[in-house]
Every structure is written in C-alpha cells, then in structure tokens.
Amino acid sequence: MYKRFFILLILPILFLNFNSKVYSDEKPAYGGTLRLSTISDPKSFNPVIAQETSTTSITRYIFEGLLDQDVDTLEMKPHLAESWTKDKDGLVWEFSLKKDIQWNDGTPFTADDVVFSYNSLVYNENIPCSARDILTIKGKNIKVEKVDDHTIRFTLPSPFAPFLRTAGMVEILPKHAYEKYVNENKFNFAMSLNAKPEEIIGTGPFMLSEYKPGQSVILKRNPLYWKKSEIGRLPYLDKISFSIYGDEVAIIQFQQKNIDIYGVRGTDYPILKPLENKNDFTIYNLGPAFGSNFLTFNLNTSKNADGGSYIDKRKLDLFRKVNFRKAIAHAIDKEFIIDSVFNGFAQIQYSPVSPANTLFHNKETEKSFPYEYDPEKSKTLLSKCGLKDINGDKILDYPDGTTVEFNLFTNSGNKLREKICEIIRKDLETIGLKVNYRLLEFNYIVEKTLNTYDWDSIVLGFTGSIEPHFGANVWRSNGHLHMWHPKQEKPDFPFESEIDNIFNNALEIMDDGIRKKHYDKWQILAADNLPLIYTVVSQMLTAVDNRLGNVKPKTNGGVLHNIEEIYIKK
Amino acid sequence: MGRVILRRLFTMVPLLLLMSFFTFLFLSLAPGNFLSSIRMNPAYSEETIEMLEKQYHLDKDIVTRYLIWIKDIVRLDFGYSFTFKRPVGEIIGSRLLYTLLLSFSAFLFTWLIAIPLGIICALNRNKFLDKFISIFTFASLSMPSFFLALILLYFVSITNILPAGGFSSPGFEDMSLINKILDVLKHLIIPTFVIGITSMAGLIRITRGNFSEILSKEYVIAAKARGIGNFRVFYLHVLKNAINPLITIFGYNISSLLSGAALTEIICSWPGLGSIMLQAARSQDIYLVMTSMLIGGVMLILGNLTADILLVFNDKRIKIQTA
C-alpha cells in the first residue's frame, strides 16, 4: 500500500511536462528562438581584435568573410565572393563579389568595404589582430585594391599557399560605419559591450538585439540576409539567445530543457545518455577535436645571465637524448587516460596534426611510431641513456649516483589536463622516475616557458587549425612558441633544421598534393624525434534537442555550421 | 559627533593608499601579465604583443604605473579594463545592482531568521528546542557554501521545482511585470538560501550567547523579582544590553554586501560582481581588480563606522573618542 502510494508520488516528478513529442511536420518553418549557453560574457562585439572564443562564438553569426570552409571537404568555397581567379604563379588573385548583398542596416556591400577591411583594419599597425601576423608574408603586406565595385584584386609579394584559407576568412566590416573610428584611432574601442545594437553592422544571418551583462546575449534575425532557400529568405530562426551559465548550471538547464544544445564532456555522458529518450534529445559524437594535449621537456641550451644553463646540466643532457623521450612515450598508458579521464571518448594522438584534419593528417605516423604502452621497453631505453638504480631505492640514478628527479607542471583550472598529469606522474614512477607534479596558474606557466625557461617538463595543449602553417610559431626553430627551445638563432637539432625547411618551402607550393607531402614529412620527423610527446585527443560530444530541424553535425563546424538553415520543429 | 565622523572618513585616505599599494605590488609581482594568454596563442607575433604591452603601459615599472593609477583615481577615473576595453566603473556598475539585490535578500533572510532563533535558544537554554537548533547551526557552520550550492543545484536538476541558476528564465522579456518579479524571486531562492544558511549559524550562536548572559545578570533577576512583566523586562533590560555585539556584526555585514556573495554567485551563474572579479584576478586585468579592492576597503571602513555610530545611539555609555 505504502509502496504504491510512494510510486504515485514519484511518477509525476519523473514525467514532469516533457514526454517525447512527435513532430507532425518535418518541413522547415520560420520563427522561434534557438537557446544556447555560453560560459562567459563576450569581451566586445569587435571581431577584428577578438582574441577569445567567448567573443567569436557570437560575432561569427554577425560577420562573414569572402569565402567559407566546406564542412565536408574542408576546401574553401564561395561566400561573400562568388568566384575567384588566380594567375599562374599564384601571385595575383581576383575575387568577384556577390552583387545582391546588403549590410544589416540596408547599405549595399561593395568592394570598398573589402579594401577597408584589409587596408584600414587588418594592416593597421594600431589594431592588434592575429590576421595581420598571418597575412604578413616575408615581412610584406598583401596589396589589396578595388578593380570595380564588385571586384577585388590581391597582389602577393611572393607565393603563399594558405592565402585562400586565411584571406578568405577575414571578417569584412562596413567602411561607412567604422571608418570614422579608424580615423580617430579609436577602432580598438569600437563595438564594445555598451555599443547600441544598431552600431554592430555585419552581413551575417543574425544581428545583435540585446546584451545583458552576466546574463545573456540575444541575436535577432537579419531580415536582409542574402542566402535563400526554396521557401524564402534565410535564416529561419527569429532569435538566438546565449545564456551565460557556468558549467554546473549549464548541464542542469539542458536537463530542464531550457537550452537546446549542450557540449557534453566525457564525464557528463553517463548522466545524459539515459535521459536521451525521456528528454527527447540526441547525443552526437562529432569525432576528434582539433586541439591537442602534449608533454614536453626543456631542451633549451641557451645560457642564462650567469653563463650557466637554465636547468641542471645533467638533466638537460638527459632530456636531449631522443631515447629518453621515447622511453617516456612508451611509458604513458594512453588507453588508461582515455578510459579514466575521458570515459572512452578520446583517441590516441600520434601526430601534431589532429586526425580531424583530413586534409593534412598523416596516417603513417600511427603505423611507424605508435609508441605502444610498454614499461619494459621504457626501462631498456632508459638504461641505454645511462640511467640505473644504484642505491636500490627503486628510483633511477645518474651514473654518478644522484637521483634522477624533475618537475612536471601544468596549468590549474583544466580538470582534464590535471587528471592526465596525475596518470603521467604515476606511469613515470612505474619506470623508476621521480617526478614532482605541481599545478601552476596559467600565466605563471607562460612566464616560465616563454621568458624565464626554468622548467623541466610541462603538459599543455594548443588549439589546432586546418592550415598547418598556422603552427609555424611553434614548429620553426626561431618561433617564440617553439616551446622546448624558443627563438633559436640557428637550428639546434638536425630534425629542427629539416622542419624549418619544410615550413619555409611548403609555404610557396601551390599544389595541395605536393604540399601535403612536405607536411607529411614534418609529422614523421615530429613523431620520430618527439619534441612534443602527444597524449590523447578528445572527441567532441554534443547533445542537441530534437526540436531542432536541419541539424547536420560535422567534425569541422560542429552543430551550428548551417545556422541559417536550422529551424524549430512545430 | 559630526567632527568625529569627518575625522574617521579622513583617516580612510592613508589606509586606502596603503591597501591599494600592496594590492598593486602583489598583482604586479605575480608572474605573467594580462597578455600571457595571448603569448601562448600561435596566431600572435611578438611584435603585436609588444605593441599591446605599450598600449596597456605594461612595459613601465611598478612605481610609475601605480602613480599613474593614483593620479587617475583622484580624478575618479578608475581606468580601463583590459579585457572588456571599457571603463572599469561601467563594468562594475553593470553588475552592482545584481550583487546588491542578492546580498540584500540574503541579509534579510539571515537576520530575520537568526535573531529570533538565537533568542528562542537563549530563553530555552539547554532545553530540547535549544539543542535542536544548535545541531542545525553546527551542521550549517561546517557546510561550505559552494558545496551546499552544488547539492541544491543537483536537487533542482532532479525535481525541477526551481530554476537552476541565472537571474531570469528564457523568455523573460515577454513576461508581464508580475511574472517578471515572480521569476526573479524564484531565481533568488537558491543563492539566498545558500548564503543565508551558511552565515546564519554564527549569528544564531552569538545572539544565543549574549542573550543568555544578560538573562542571567542580577539586574534582570532583580527586575523580575520586582514583578515587572516578562515582556517589559526583556524589552527594557535585556534587549538593549544584548544587541551591542550584534551591531558590530551588522557593520561587518555591510562591508561584505558587495563581496560576500562571490562564490555562490559564480556557482549559481548569478550575473553579479563575483564572476567578473574572479576572471579579472585570474587574467590579471589589474585595474578591474584594483577597483574591486578599493570598493571592498571603502565598504569595510564605512561598515565599521556605521556600526560605531549605531552603538552610540543604542548605548549612551559608549562614546567615540575625539582624540
């Protein structure tokens, strides 16, 4: 009796207002609000100076570039420009712009806006923007000029293979709206958070409607957007609202069906998966992410102010032996990391290029350099480096009897990375290495790796991109992000000199097939010499409410790459 | 009295100078600066970073930067936030009301419940009711606020009876005024409860202690013996004497109005000062941190001053020294 009463009591709670709904019509329809969440406030609405995803994840719906990336082939395809031609050396490119495009304030979009966006914004020395650093070719700017109202000519100082991918993605901003800020040298403060919505002018499918600090950003439909479907002008949605929720709140809001899309972490999976039917959503596995997690050792031979090396000489000599780094790679139990940290939703990373990058990833790295988990092999490799346990304390010693001991740092706040470090520390202990693991504030790590050089080993990650050349600051031996030994005057190791050549030469090769061969070689060199020891790359899981139509999740582009076609089912 | 207050306000200046200098010093001595995260981004060249360093005056030494800051503060210019590229005053202003709303609601909740409970404990000292309430206060004293917040959020995620964080529900713009108010009140419940419960315990203990001490004083017993009614005794003899320490706590509570809710705000995604202050401190957005420190300092001093003034009004025996 009591039991039945209890069940009756609990039933309404379990089935509270959301039963799977059968949608009558699967045809696109206008209207409705897409409800998203974002972890922190945007820092401005200025896409040119934006450095953080909290800003770009919003401005990407307001501003557009000349070209766009095809989510399947990863090749560039027409967007604001409808076609382009190039001369045989790949030095002169002409883009024809689409003619029926308007800014969201009604002004027509013309070649003047494109010229303005490059010459007055990207190449403006007073505006900090990463596009300029990428589009500066051997110290020279690309010449950008207007041929007529709908034709633009780019003249390159020398061949530059990533041209389409970089120049095509630069956001185009309206000259009529922002020229005055540039003239007064105030562009860096334009489009800030207190700007009126009508001051944020783009060509994108959505425009700013309202920003409430700490609460939400609301975008509304751009009624003048240029893309059309068979039933009319796109986009279908009326609004997109971004609620600013912390991690703890976002997942609950998704469970309560207050937001439509939630980026699922491996640890969330067991919580959300059982709710899929009841709450009527679908979890998609989008495949490997573009970012990376790696362990790197300090190989820096440059001298500090006192003429000594930055870290203990014996330690430095050890780190510089490739057998030592190979021993470490064999000692890390990557399968265990995948299971225990990512709940299975990750895969081993073999190359600096993520397997998600189907254009440039070299599958050969996995076959030639798998670095399978093998502590015994590690121990053999370490003894080849001259290490053995002399005093019988189960910790390896240098030939002179002193204990091998080094620090392992990572930045605090990234829980996955912290867990990876715990496992690495334990794995290295198994092969007899004494590792002191410490968490440091991110800024402190940056200071150590890029300025003071007083570190032994670090676990970090980089966000990746399709174009391998964007990693040049990391891989060229004179790069300031060449973590293991930054800003070298001439390459330290032979493999570094080879990689330098690859990055310099591949940049000028316009044939994608031949170019890929160069970057394949780089990936092999990296995997063989292990300046960065890659661990695992996570897979991207996304939960999407089934009330959304036209959802076609892709590894590259995620769920919202076709935002203008997404609609709310009736 | 007026002169004393003026004097107290005047002594604020050196105190704040000292506080601000040390904050500035420690912030600047911490490794890295606001640009560290850009340094780690392969897309940025060193030239761009150097240019930003100049723009933000991060290439100057600490003393010069501090002096520039002081000079601006005197003109009530709190500087720019590096992150938001807007004046600090504006950033803080946009969040201030939300924090005040939450703090005030928690403040009311705490005091309206804690004082009566404390008095009930004192009147029933060592009886069942006292012990029962004491168990509750000890439990809440030992519960960290973030943990309580997480538990409540979890509870809400299962039962769906309350909104899980944030300030308002989706579709807030289209609600009627009454529904808007109700919606915000619903969102207030969890954070208010979390802050209230964890700060209530101390207040109950202190109230109980004071009241039971005064209740056992000879003049109270004498008054009772003279046949004065219980209510009169309590109001005239006990209350006035027992609330002095509470007034001091009241002062401290004023000072934490703007900072006391930070942790709960962050967990519950409340749009107040908490989350931007944490962000600012972590990213070394120095002027935003400095200003929040200044606000904290001013509030502490004002809170104490308010408490002292209230004490004089409550208890004629207390005088503020003019010397």
Side-chain angles (χ1 to χ4, degrees):
Chain A
M1 178 62 203
Y2 284 114
K3 219 178 210 168
R4 192 176 299 163
F5 181 69
F6 181 71
I7 290 170
L8 278 177
L9 205 75
I10 225 155
L11 267 180
I13 297 178
L14 282 176
F15 292 97
L16 207 76
N17 62 39
F18 18 91
N19 291 314
S20 283
K21 187 172 154 190
V22 179
Y23 298 102
S24 55
D25 205 351
E26 292 278 320
K27 277 199 203 104
Y30 283 94
T33 302
L34 173 67
R35 303 158 310 167
L36 305 176
S37 79
T38 176
I39 188 129
S40 64
D41 287 73
K43 308 301 179 273
S44 75
F45 297 107
N46 188 332
V48 181
I49 60 165
Q51 293 149 358
E52 54 294 302
T53 47
S54 57
T55 303
T56 52
S57 65
I58 289 166
T59 56
R60 60 186 278 209
Y61 302 117
I62 307 178
F63 299 96
E64 297 178 304
L66 292 178
L67 308 178
D68 194 13
Q69 195 163 266
D70 188 294
V71 287
D72 294 310
T73 64
L74 305 188
E75 301 292 351
M76 300 309 287
K77 62 175 188 186
H79 204 63
L80 292 179
E82 58 186 358
S83 64
W84 62 89
T85 58
K86 65 171 179 188
D87 70 345
K88 64 175 188 345
D89 303 324
L91 288 178
V92 182
W93 299 69
E94 279 195 6
F95 289 79
S96 314
L97 307 180
K98 291 201 173 103
K99 293 198 176 62
D100 51 353
I101 297 178
Q102 287 172 299
W103 295 99
N104 63 32
D105 66 351
T107 319
F109 159 77
T110 69
D112 288 322
D113 298 313
V114 182
V115 174
F116 168 76
S117 299
Y118 284 90
N119 292 347
S120 305
L121 300 180
V122 171
Y123 287 128
N124 184 334
E125 295 288 333
N126 293 319
I127 299 172
C129 102
S130 61
R132 175 172 64 250
D133 294 336
I134 293 164
L135 287 171
T136 302
I137 304 163
K138 295 186 177 165
K140 293 197 192 104
N141 293 353
I142 296 173
K143 195 164 136 208
V144 185
E145 55 199 338
K146 169 179 164 180
V147 178
D148 60 52
D149 268 357
H150 294 99
T151 315
I152 287 285
R153 183 186 300 133
F154 292 81
T155 313
L156 278 59
S158 58
F160 185 63
F163 172 70
L164 274 189
R165 205 170 283 287
T166 44
M169 297 295 258
V170 166
E171 288 90 354
I172 305 299
L173 268 61
K175 182 181 181 189
H176 70 275
Y178 300 118
E179 195 180 25
K180 58 176 187 285
Y181 294 103
V182 175
N183 292 340
E184 295 166 17
N185 198 10
K186 282 185 184 156
F187 183 77
N188 293 345
F189 303 103
M191 297 185 262
S192 64
L193 293 182
N194 75 331
K196 292 191 193 76
E198 57 272 21
E199 289 169 15
I200 314 296
I201 300 167
T203 54
F206 291 88
M207 51 209 255
L208 183 63
S209 169
E210 195 187 6
Y211 165 60
K212 287 189 266 180
Q215 294 185 56
S216 62
V217 180
I218 295 168
L219 303 184
K220 61 180 179 205
R221 180 174 186 271
N222 172 6
L224 302 172
Y225 191 55
W226 51 274
K227 267 194 198 172
K228 296 184 181 85
S229 73
E230 57 271 31
I231 62 167
R233 227 177 243 277
L234 293 170
Y236 293 123
L237 294 165
D238 263 348
K239 283 181 185 172
I240 309 177
S241 79
F242 298 85
S243 299
I244 299 157
Y245 289 138
D247 277 338
E248 291 82 4
V249 170
I251 185 172
I252 299 172
Q253 294 285 359
F254 182 75
Q255 282 171 272
Q256 293 187 337
K257 288 184 84 74
N258 289 326
I259 52 178
D260 294 316
I261 297 179
Y262 176 73
V264 182
R265 297 163 294 188
T267 42
D268 296 331
Y269 188 80
I271 303 170
L272 290 180
K273 187 66 187 171
L275 300 174
E276 243 184 346
N277 281 326
K278 192 177 65 125
N279 278 15
D280 199 20
F281 62 83
T282 311
I283 298 180
Y284 297 94
N285 187 343
L286 305 183
F290 275 82
S292 57
N293 290 294
F294 56 79
L295 165 67
T296 182
F297 286 90
N298 192 347
L299 311 181
N300 196 336
T301 48
S302 55
K303 300 281 178 261
N304 61 19
D306 306 327
S309 56
Y310 285 97
I311 60 170
D312 178 50
K313 189 76 178 55
R314 260 179 326 211
K315 217 155 40 178
L316 182 62
D317 287 340
L318 179 63
F319 294 164
R320 289 172 63 85
K321 288 184 178 134
V322 70
N323 274 340
F324 172 78
R325 302 196 296 273
K326 291 195 168 175
I328 303 290
H330 278 293
I332 300 173
D333 189 350
K334 289 157 212 146
E335 297 288 351
F336 184 70
I337 293 178
I338 292 171
D339 287 340
S340 65
V341 181
F342 294 89
N343 245 326
F345 295 103
Q347 54 201 72
I348 299 177
Q349 184 165 8
Y350 301 97
S351 142
V353 176
S354 160
N357 188 350
T358 46
L359 278 188
F360 287 102
H361 174 70
N362 183 358
K363 292 199 185 75
E364 202 54 45
T365 48
E366 175 175 355
K367 289 186 204 101
S368 310
F369 301 100
Y371 296 114
E372 68 287 351
Y373 176 59
D374 189 348
E376 288 312 313
K377 198 165 180 180
S378 293
K379 286 180 189 161
T380 321
L381 284 166
L382 287 178
S383 68
K384 274 191 202 161
C385 299
L387 304 184
K388 62 172 183 255
D389 180 12
I390 294 174
N391 53 12
D393 60 356
K394 299 207 169 126
I395 301 171
L396 292 173
D397 304 297
Y398 294 108
D400 67 1
T402 39
T403 308
V404 180
E405 181 177 2
F406 57 87
N407 291 322
L408 171 66
F409 298 141
T410 196
N411 63 305
S412 55
N414 186 328
K415 291 200 188 78
L416 297 177
R417 213 172 274 166
E418 289 170 19
K419 284 188 205 159
I420 292 176
C421 276
E422 296 279 0
I423 294 171
I424 292 180
R425 192 200 60 76
K426 221 179 98 269
D427 285 341
L428 297 189
E429 196 180 79
T430 317
I431 57 168
L433 291 170
K434 186 172 179 198
V435 179
N436 304 314
Y437 164 48
R438 265 181 73 197
L439 280 174
L440 299 177
E441 253 325 286
F442 184 72
N443 286 1
Y444 197 16
I445 298 242
V446 177
E447 199 65 10
K448 276 184 178 302
T449 44
L450 305 186
N451 276 338
T452 57
Y453 308 139
D454 53 336
W455 56 279
D456 298 335
S457 64
I458 285 185
V459 170
L460 271 184
F462 284 130
T463 51
S465 52
I466 294 191
E467 172 51 53
H469 184 67
F470 293 172
N473 271 334
V474 176
W475 286 97
R476 279 205 291 229
S477 61
N478 60 359
H480 73 283
L481 272 181
H482 195 71
M483 310 281 298
W484 56 96
H485 186 176
K487 300 191 220 169
Q488 301 174 25
E489 277 163 26
K490 59 173 198 266
D492 181 5
F493 292 100
F495 81 87
E496 289 181 298
S497 140
E498 275 184 77
I499 291 179
D500 282 358
N501 288 337
I502 291 172
F503 271 85
N504 292 336
N505 296 336
L507 197 55
E508 306 205 343
I509 297 170
M510 304 306 282
D511 183 307
D512 281 346
I514 302 175
R515 190 157 173 252
K516 179 177 187 312
K517 290 218 170 70
H518 280 71
Y519 289 118
D520 279 351
K521 178 99 189 295
W522 153 57
Q523 294 172 59
I524 292 287
L525 283 167
D528 190 13
N529 292 283
L530 291 176
L532 305 180
I533 301 169
Y534 286 95
T535 57
V536 303
V537 54
S538 63
Q539 291 169 348
M540 300 176 288
L541 300 176
T542 307
V544 183
D545 198 299
N546 290 341
R547 77 186 193 111
L548 301 186
N550 259 342
V551 173
K552 299 162 186 163
K554 291 280 151 64
T555 301
N556 178 58
V559 178
L560 296 173
H561 63 89
N562 59 340
I563 185 87
E564 67 278 358
E565 293 171 349
I566 287 178
Y567 65 96
I568 310 263
K569 291 177 193 165
K570 293 271 151 72
Chain B
M1 183 81 179
R3 268 180 58 196
V4 180
I5 294 175
L6 267 182
R7 226 187 133 82
R8 284 281 289 271
L9 288 176
F10 193 68
T11 51
M12 260 171 77
V13 177
L15 212 62
L16 286 176
L17 271 178
L18 214 65
M19 261 166 61
S20 64
F21 180 72
F22 277 106
T23 317
F24 205 92
L25 188 71
F26 289 135
L27 277 173
S28 310
L29 288 182
N33 60 30
F34 177 71
L35 300 173
S36 295
S37 59
I38 307 178
R39 261 177 228 283
M40 226 11 139
N41 185 338
Y44 285 86
S45 73
E46 286 202 288
E47 290 76 36
T48 306
I49 293 164
E50 267 169 36
M51 174 195 121
L52 281 171
E53 215 149 51
K54 280 213 186 74
Q55 247 179 32
Y56 294 154
H57 300 297
L58 290 173
D59 53 342
K60 299 203 173 69
D61 63 292
I62 301 179
V63 178
T64 320
R65 281 191 293 142
Y66 181 69
L67 289 178
I68 294 177
W69 183 74
I70 288 286
K71 210 176 77 199
D72 291 342
I73 289 292
V74 175
R75 288 180 288 150
L76 285 183
D77 172 1
F78 294 96
Y80 263 74
S81 154
F82 297 156
T83 319
F84 295 99
K85 295 167 191 72
R86 294 297 310 159
V88 165
E90 190 185 301
I91 305 286
I92 292 186
S94 70
R95 308 294 187 101
L96 200 62
L97 276 180
Y98 295 103
T99 294
L100 275 178
L101 176 65
L102 175 57
S103 294
F104 191 67
S105 134
F107 185 81
L108 273 184
F109 177 70
T110 312
W111 285 73
L112 287 182
I113 292 185
I115 301 294
L117 280 186
I119 296 175
I120 289 172
C121 284
L123 290 174
N124 299 287
R125 194 142 65 119
N126 293 333
K127 290 185 193 144
F128 171 75
L129 203 55
D130 176 29
K131 285 183 177 155
F132 181 76
I133 294 173
S134 294
I135 289 174
F136 157 76
T137 59
F138 285 128
S140 63
L141 255 181
S142 51
M143 174 92 85
S145 64
F146 74 91
F147 188 60
L148 183 61
L150 286 177
I151 290 180
L152 287 179
L153 284 182
Y154 179 69
F155 173 73
V156 160
S157 78
I158 304 174
T159 56
N160 270 311
I161 49 172
L162 280 174
F167 174 77
S168 55
S169 304
F172 184 73
E173 301 77 35
D174 311 323
M175 293 180 189
S176 67
L177 184 66
I178 304 271
N179 282 340
K180 275 185 183 173
I181 294 173
L182 283 177
D183 187 53
V184 172
L185 284 179
K186 267 197 224 160
H187 282 81
L188 263 172
I189 292 177
I190 289 184
T192 301
F193 187 76
V194 169
I195 301 173
I197 285 292
T198 44
S199 52
M200 187 181 285
L203 200 55
I204 295 179
R205 301 304 302 168
I206 290 167
T207 314
R208 176 187 179 275
N210 281 314
F211 276 85
S212 28
E213 191 197 324
I214 305 289
L215 279 170
S216 58
K217 280 268 156 68
E218 283 160 355
Y219 61 80
V220 175
I221 300 169
K224 277 188 186 161
R226 274 184 279 137
I228 302 176
N230 263 345
F231 180 75
R232 245 177 102 79
V233 171
F234 186 77
Y235 188 72
L236 280 181
H237 299 276
V238 180
L239 194 62
K240 275 207 144 177
N241 289 307
I243 63 172
N244 281 351
L246 296 180
I247 290 178
T248 313
I249 295 183
F250 179 78
Y252 278 113
N253 269 344
I254 291 182
S255 65
S256 65
L257 269 184
L258 290 179
S259 52
L263 200 58
T264 313
E265 279 185 3
I266 292 166
I267 295 176
C268 296
S269 297
W270 187 259
L273 290 169
S275 55
I276 50 165
M277 286 310 151
L278 179 73
Q279 242 180 58
R282 294 198 75 164
S283 63
Q284 295 180 286
D285 191 347
I286 194 161
Y287 301 119
L288 200 48
V289 180
M290 287 300 291
T291 309
S292 74
M293 185 280 319
L294 265 191
I295 293 177
V298 171
M299 293 296 283
L300 185 69
I301 295 168
L302 288 183
N304 274 332
L305 185 61
T306 317
D308 288 350
I309 294 167
L310 287 177
L311 278 178
V312 174
F313 278 111
N314 178 58
D315 193 335
K316 294 288 181 284
R317 288 168 304 180
I318 298 175
K319 290 228 161 52
I320 299 184
Q321 293 289 331
T322 3

